[in-house]
Amino acid sequence: MAAQQGDVDELFDVKNAYYIGSYQQCINEAQKQPRLFVFSFKPSSPEKETERDMFLYRAYIAQRKYAVVLDDIKANSPPELQAVKMFAEYLSSESKRDAIVADLDKKMAKSVDLNTDAALRTLHQGESLECMAMTIQVLLSLDRVDLARKELKKMQEQDEDATLTQLATAWVNIAVGGEKLQDAYYIFQEMSDKYSSTLLLLNGQAACYMAQNKWEEAEGVLQEALDKDSSHPETLINLIVLTQHLGKAPEVTNRYLSQLKDAHRAHPFLKDYLAKENEFDRLVLQYAPTATA
Amino acid sequence: MLTKFETKSARVKGLSFHPKRPWVLASLHNGVIQLWDYRMCTLIDKFDEHDGPVRGIDFHKQQPLFVSGGDDYKIKVWNYKLRRCLFTLLGHLDYIRTTFFHHEYPWILSASDDQTIRIWNWQSRTCVCVLTGHNHYVMCAQFHPSEDLVVSASLDQTVRVWDISGLRKKNLSPGAVETEVRGISGVDLFGASDAVVKHVLEGHDRGVNWAAFHPSMPLIVSGADDRQVKIWRMNESKAWELDTCRGHYNNVSCAVFHPRQELILSNSEDKSIRVWDMSKRTGVQTFRRDHDRFWVLGAHPNLNLFAAGHDSGMIVFKLERERPAYAVHGNMLYYVKDRFLRQLDFNSSKDTAVMQLRSGSKFPVFSMSYNPAENAVLLCTRATNLENSTYDLYSIPKESDSQNPDAPEGKRSSGLTAVWVARNRFAVLDRMHSLLIKNLKNEIVKKVQVPSCEEIFYAGTGSLLLRDADGVTLFDVQQKRSLATVKIAKVKYVVWSADTSHVALLAKHAIMICNRKLESLCNIHENIRVKSGAWDESGVFIYTTSNHIKYALTSGDHGIIRTLDLPIYVTRVRGNSVYCLDRECRPRVLTIDPTEYRFKLALVNRKYDEVGLIISSHLGSIVLHMVHEKTRFSLALECGNIEVALEAAKALDERSCWERLGEAALLQGHHQVVEMCYQRTKNFDKLTFLYLITGNLAKLRKMMKIAEIRKDMSGHYQAALYLGDVSERVRILKNCGQKSLAYLTAATHGLDEEAEALKETFDPEKETVPEVDPNAQLLQPPPPINPLDTNWPLLTVSKGFFEGAIAAKGKAGQMAADLDMDASGGEGWGDDAELQLDEDGFMDAQEALGDDGIGKEEGGGWEVEEDLDLPPELDMPAGAGGGAEDGFFVPPTKGMSPSQMWCNNSQLPVDHILAGSFETAMRLLHDQVGVVNFGPYKTLFMQTLSRGRTCYLGLPSLPCLRSHPQRNWKDCGAKQGLPAVGLRLSDLISRLQQCYQLTTAGRFEEAVERFRVILLSVPLLVVDNKQEIHSIRLEYIVGLTMETERKKLPKDTLEQQKRLCEMAAYFTHCNLQPVHMVLVLRTALNLFFKLRNFKTAAGFARRLLELGPKPDVAQQTRKILAACEKTLTDAHQLNYDPHNPFDLCAASFVPLYRGRPVEKCPLSGACYCPTYKGQICRVTQVTEIGKDVIGLRVSPLQFR
C-alpha cells in the first residue's frame, strides 16, 4: 500500500489539522477507526503510530486539556510521547516550570518559552520542517527577520507547498510588512478555503488586515473568531487593539481587557501589561509640580 | 470544425437556412423536402409532392414561404405555416437546378438544364423574364444581395453575370402592373432586353457547378468540375479571374463566401469540405467524410452556421467555437474579446479593456483561469491538433488606458489546459496528459502522477477536478491523492458556487450537481445542448441550453425560466438579473422571473413563511401544481395533509413513499389510508393486526383466507387466534403435523368430537396422548363492541403557515419610536433656561492650542537610551553561548523590534507610548506641554500601549507572535516605521459632541471630566496639520468648573449674591457654543435683573438678542430689556467691567484685565494669577502653571 501511494503522507490530515489550529479535527482524524478504503487510516508502521499519537496528544495540549495527556501517557510509552507529556506538565502548572526546565536541560529536549538561545541551539540540530518553523518563530520573536527569511528559504527548498512552509511564509511576511502583508493574508485565506477556518487562521488574517490599517475588514474577521470562541486570548487582544483603532468608546475596549484578565491571567500579554503598569507607577514619582496649592 | 447537427436521409441536393428560426430545409434526391429544427434536432415537417429529385430550395426572407425546383420541371412555392404547396410554376423544359427568392422583389430565379435562367413573379405567378445565353445546363443562378445582378454557372464552362436593371425599372415604372401584364405575353419576344449579359467569366476548364456573389465586395466565387475553386473580381466594365484554390481532387460541387470572415468554403465529390483563406488563397481546414460525396453548401445569413448536403444526409456545422473565454471573480467579469482582455464591473457596468493579448495564434482563446491574488490570468488556446495547444500566463497591468491598453509580455508554453490551484501555483495538463505544477515564473515545481485524465478543472485551492472518459475525480494536488469520484460522461464545464459548497458539472446533454465532496445530489438530462450556468446567491443553479434559461435546485427540481433566441453564456446571476455574454462577446443583462424557483427553494428549505409571501404576492395556488411530485409528497407529509400526500403517493407509487405515508397516517389514526398503504406494500402481518384492532372481523377472516392461500402457516394461525376460531386452529395444527398440539387445543376447548378423532390417530405404542390442563382458561379475544369504521377525529388545523407569515408581516413598523433628542435643558440650567439642541456650528476657527512655534531645537538626546526588554542572556559574550554539542552554532542576538524603531523615528509622545517606552514618552510630554503629574494619564497610557501590537498564532501551544501595525506600512521599509496611532481627531471631536450634550443637559461635573480626558488626549494625537486641533475648547472646563463652584456658594448675604452675579457674568465671557451662550446669558441676565443691576443686565440682554434665540426667549428678553432701559443704573458695584477685556483666572475665578501680569498653563492655555505659578493647572490637572516649555508637538511636520 505504501508503495502505491508513493510519497503520500498518511498522517497528512492529522498533521495539517494540527498546524492550522483545527485541533478537534486533528483529534477526530487521529482517532478514526481503520477503514476498508485505499486511503484508510491505519498507520503502516509502529513509528507512524507513535507519530500519530504525538499529534493527538499535542492537539489535546493545544486545547489545554492537559489532564488527558498526563493520564494517557504512561511511563512505558515511547520516549517521543514522554516528551509530549513533559510539555503538558510544563504548561499545566506554573510552579513546576523551573524544575521541568532544569530536568529538560539534563535530558536535552526543546523548550521555547523562556530561553530562546537554548531553544535555537536545540532546534538547530533538527532538520524537519517543524523544527525549522519553530526556529523561524523564535527568530521572529527575537525580531531577527533577516535570519528568519534565511531559514524560510531553507524550508521552501525542502517543500514549498507544505502547510508548515506556507504558514511560516505568512509569519515572515507579516514581520516584513509592506506589500508582503497581502501575501500573508492570502496564505491564511487559502488555508481556510481549503480546509476550514480556525482561530489561528482568522487571527492571522486579522493581524494582516490591521497591519494594513484595514480596520473595518479586520472587524469582520475577528467577529467570526469571537463567534467561534468568545474567550480566545489572542482574539481578545486583537479586539483590544481594533476597538481603539475603530474609535469605539473606551468602555468597549475595557470590556475585552477585563474578559482577558478574567480568563487568561497568565497570558504573556497581561504579564507585560501589568509590568508596564508598575513601570508607569514608578515613573510617575519622578515628576512633581514645583509648587503646591 | 464543429458539427452541431446531423441527419440521415437520401442524398441531399439543396439546403436553405431560415433567417430567423433555427430551421434548415433540405431537398432530397428522392423528392422529399425536409424541414429540420437543428437546435432541437427534430424533423418539423416533410413536403413530398415533387416527382423525382428536388435540387432547388430557398426560404423567403420575410414571408412564411419557400420555393423548390425539381427534376419534374416544376417550381413549387410552399407556405410552411399552412404546410402545403401554394402553387406550381411551369415553364422550364428540363430539370431545375436551383431556385432562389429575390431579397426585395416578388421574384424567383431558377436555373435549368434547358439552358435558360428564368425570373418569375410569385405574386402574379408568371414568368417575367427568360435569360438565355448559356449553351449547356445552367447549374446555378443567384441574385446579387444588393445590386441588380445575377450570377450563373453552367456546364458550358462559363460563369455569367447578368444585368437585370431593365427588368427592375420596368417593374418600378408607374404603370408597372400593365407593363407586367403586357410583359407576360411578350416574354419570349422581348425578355432578352430586360436582362443582358454583363460579363462572361471564362477560366474553368470543365463545367461550372456553382457560382456565388460576395455579400459586400465585388467578388464572385465559383466551383467547377476541373476541381478548382476560382475567385473573380469585377467592376462596371469588366471582370477578371483573381485567384484559384487548388486542392480538391474531384468535382467541386459548391463554393460560398463566409458571410462575415475572409474565408471561402467549398465542398466536393471528393467527400471533403474545405475552408480557404481568401487573402492567402490557402486551405485552412479540411473536413472529410468516409463514404459520402458532398453536393451542396448553405451558409446561415446571420449566424456562424453552415450546412452541407451529402450522399446520405446533411450536417450543420460551424467553423469554430463561439464560446467566449471568461472568468468571474466577485463583481468582476474578465473576458476575451477580439485580441483584448476586458474587465466588466457588474455593479457599475464599467467595461474596460485591461490588456492586449499577444497575437500569433490563429485560434481563439479556449478557456481562462483568473487569479485574484496575483491579478494574473491563464489563457488556454486549443489547436485543431490538440497536441499543439498552448497556454499563456499574463499578469494584468495594474493601470491601463482602456483606449490603448498595454500589451504585456506573457509566458507561453505548450499544454492542453492550465488552471490555478493556489495563489502562486497553477496546474498544467500537458500533451502527454500528465500534470505539472508550475509557479508564477512558469517553472515546473513538481510533476504529479495522476489517474488517466483528459481535462482538468478548477476545484478550489489545492484541488483539481480531473475528467476521464466516464467520470470526474476530485484530486488533491498537494497530497497527490484522489478524494472522490463521480460517474458522468464527458463533462465539458464545471461551475462552482460562490462558497464552493456545490459544483455543477455540465456535459453536452446532462447536468450533475454535486457537493464539495463530489457526492452527486442530482442529475438532469437535457435534450438540447447545455451551454453555461451560474449559481445565484440563494444556491439555485441557473443554466442555459441553446434555447432556454433554466433553473435547477440541488434537490433535482428543475424547469424553464424563459426562452432564448440565441445561445448566451451566463456569467452571473443576481436577483432577477442574468448577466451573460453573447456570441459576439457583448455583455448583456437579461431579466428573469425568479418566482418559481424561489418558491420551490423555499418549499425545499421549509421556509414556509417565504412560501406564503411568494404565494400571497404572486401566483397563488397555481404554483403548487408546478412542484415536483416528490417535493409535494414530502411537503404534504410535513404538513400532515394525508389526502394530498396520498394523491402524490399514488402518482409516485413507490414502496418507500407508501411506507412513509402509512406511518404518518397511523399516527393520525387515518386507518383507511393505513390500510391502503399496507395493501400496496403487501404488508400482511401489519394489515392483519390493523383489522384486529379496528375490530374489522370480516376483513380479518379474509386475511386468514389469504394467509392460507399464501401457505403462510404462522400468519394463518395468528389470524385464527385473533379471530378466536378454535376449530380453524385445530385444523392448522393438524395440517402442519402438530398432532398433539391440535389434540390439546381441541380437548381444552371442548371440541370433543375432533379431540376424539385426533386421539384415534395417535399410535399408542410410540406416542403418548398429552394431558389436558384442567386449570386451563379460555383464551378468546374480546369481541369488538363497535367496529371502527371511521377515522379518528382530527382537530381542525389551527393556523396555516401562510396566515402566520402574513400575520408576522404586520408587526414591522412598530419600531418607529424615536428618541426625542431635542429635550429641554436639565435642572443645571436653572428654572427658565431651556434651549434646542442643534450643534454643528462649532467648527468656526477660534483659537489654536498652544503656540505655533515650530522647529525649536530638540537636541539629539531622544534616542532610546536603554533596551527595555533585553534578556539577560544577551549580556553574555556571543561566542561563549554555544553549547558543547553543537560547537559551531551561535545563537543570534536579539534584533531591533519595530517598536524600538518607532522610538528612534519619532519624537511624538504617542509613538513612544505605543512603543512601550513610557519613560521617554513622559519626558517628551513634560518638555513639550509641561506635564508634571502623570497620574491621570495612566489609563490613557495603558490603553494606548495595548493597541500598539496585534498578535497571531504560530505553532500551536507556543506563545503567540506579535505584529506591529504601522501607519506608514506601505512605504516605510524595514527601518522607517511609525506606529498606527488609532486616535483620531475626528473621534475626539465626536466625543466633544457628547460633552456638549452633557453640558446642555446640565451635567457639568461629568462634562468637565470628559472634557478633561479629551484635553489630555490632545498631546497624543498625530495630525498632518496642527491647525486641525484648534477646535478643542478649553474654556468649557474653566466655565463649567466655575459654574459648579457657583452653585455650591451660599446666597444668604448680599456679598455672597454679588459674588454669584460676578461669576455668572464672567461665565458669559467664556468662549462657548451659541446655544450654551444663550443659556449662560439668560442666567446672568436673570441674576443681574434680580440684583437690580439694570445697566449690566441690559448689556446681557442685548448680547442675548444678538445671538438670535428662540422667539419666546427673545420676546421675554425684550421685555426685560425694556424694563432695564427705564432705569439704566446699577444698584451695586461689582468686580465686572464688560467693556474692559479680561482673562479669567482658572483658580480664583477673578478677572485678569489686560495688561496685568498673568501665568498660563502650557497645555490648556488657561490663565492664572501669578500667585499660582508652579502649581498644577486646575483645568488639565496634570500640567504645571507657567512652566517654560517647547510647546505641543502633534505633527511630524513640526520637526521638519
Side-chain angles (χ1 to χ4, degrees), chain A residues 5 7-9 12-13 18-19 21 23 37 39 58 61-62 87 91 108 112-117 120-122 124-125 130 133-134 137 139-144 147 159-164 166 170-172 174-179 181 183 186-188 190 193-195 199-200 203-204 207 210-213 215 232 234 237-238 240-241 244-247 250 253-254 267-269 272-273 276-277 279-281 283-284 286-293, chain B residues 372-374 398 421-425 437 445-446 461-463 476 478-483 500 516 868-869 871 873-874 876 881-883 885-886 889 891-898 900 915-919 922-923 926 931-935 937-938 941-970 973 980-984 987 991 1010 1172-1176 1178 1184 1187:
Chain A
Q5 288 175 35
D7 51 349
V8 172
D9 185 350
F12 181 88
D13 288 334
Y18 177 72
Y19 290 140
Y23 306 120
F37 200 91
F39 306 109
R58 285 172 70 189
I61 293 177
F87 188 46
L91 288 174
M108 190 53 235
V112 188
D113 201 16
L114 296 173
N115 190 335
T116 50
D117 273 12
L120 283 176
R121 215 171 294 137
T122 313
H124 184 67
Q125 300 165 50
E130 195 173 344
M134 213 181 277
Q137 186 167 353
L139 288 170
L140 288 178
S141 69
L142 286 174
D143 297 313
R144 290 304 299 264
L147 295 177
D159 184 357
E160 194 176 345
D161 294 332
T163 308
L164 265 182
Q166 290 287 309
W171 306 335
V172 174
I174 292 179
V176 171
E179 286 184 359
L181 290 168
D183 289 356
Y186 281 129
I187 291 174
F188 290 124
E190 226 172 77
D193 280 357
K194 205 164 152 186
Y195 307 108
L199 292 168
L200 186 145
N203 275 298
M210 289 196 278
Q212 296 179 74
N213 298 354
W215 310 108
H232 183 246
E234 279 76 21
I237 294 169
N238 283 332
I240 291 169
V241 179
Q244 296 194 53
H245 281 282
L246 284 173
T253 311
N254 288 340
H267 195 278
F269 174 87
D272 272 6
Y273 191 86
K276 279 289 172 192
E277 270 186 339
E279 185 190 338
F280 185 92
D281 292 341
L283 289 168
V284 164
Q286 295 179 4
Y287 296 91
T290 45
T292 45
Chain B
E374 297 289 337
K398 285 205 177 98
V421 289
R423 178 181 43 88
N424 51 1
R425 292 281 183 276
I437 305 296
V445 180
K446 59 182 172 190
T461 307
S463 302
D476 188 312
Q478 193 182 356
Q479 299 178 55
K480 297 170 188 159
R481 66 179 207 193
S482 305
L483 302 175
T500 67
R516 187 80 186 85
L868 293 168
D869 301 324
E873 290 87 353
L874 278 185
M876 290 188 287
E885 311 84 14
D886 48 5
F889 180 72
T893 55
K894 194 168 163 55
M896 179 111 115
S897 79
Q900 281 166 262
S917 176
F918 285 178
E919 186 163 3
M922 282 181 178
R923 198 173 308 161
H926 179 256
V931 179
V932 288
N933 173 26
F934 279 96
Y937 261 115
K938 184 169 179 180
F941 265 52
M942 292 315 292
Q943 273 181 0
T944 308
L945 173 74
S946 67
R947 68 170 176 255
R949 268 161 294 175
T950 60
C951 51
Y952 57 101
L953 292 153
L955 285 170
S957 304
L958 296 186
C960 60
L961 288 160
R962 313 301 304 265
S963 159
H964 303 77
Q966 309 198 101
R967 58 176 179 264
N968 55 347
W969 62 277
K970 276 184 188 150
V981 178
L983 178 70
R984 283 179 299 249
D987 295 339
R991 281 200 237 161
R1010 295 212 181 194
Y1172 295 103
K1173 181 174 162 66
Q1175 292 186 9
I1176 293 280
R1178 302 296 190 278
E1184 184 179 316
K1187 189 167 178 61

Side-chain angles (χ1 to χ4, degrees), chain A residues 42-91:
Chain A
K42 173 77 188 150
S44 50
S45 64
E47 290 82 37
K48 283 280 178 199
E49 208 168 320
T50 312
E51 198 180 343
R52 181 197 66 190
D53 289 348
M54 267 172 71
F55 279 99
L56 170 68
Y57 292 124
R58 285 172 70 189
Y60 276 121
I61 293 177
Q63 289 186 332
R64 287 193 279 276
K65 293 174 183 162
Y66 306 122
V68 177
V69 183
L70 297 178
D71 293 348
D72 265 23
I73 302 179
K74 303 285 183 306
N76 58 356
S77 302
E80 291 92 333
L81 294 185
Q82 295 300 336
V84 174
K85 185 180 183 182
M86 190 180 267
F87 188 46
E89 274 171 3
Y90 173 85
L91 288 174

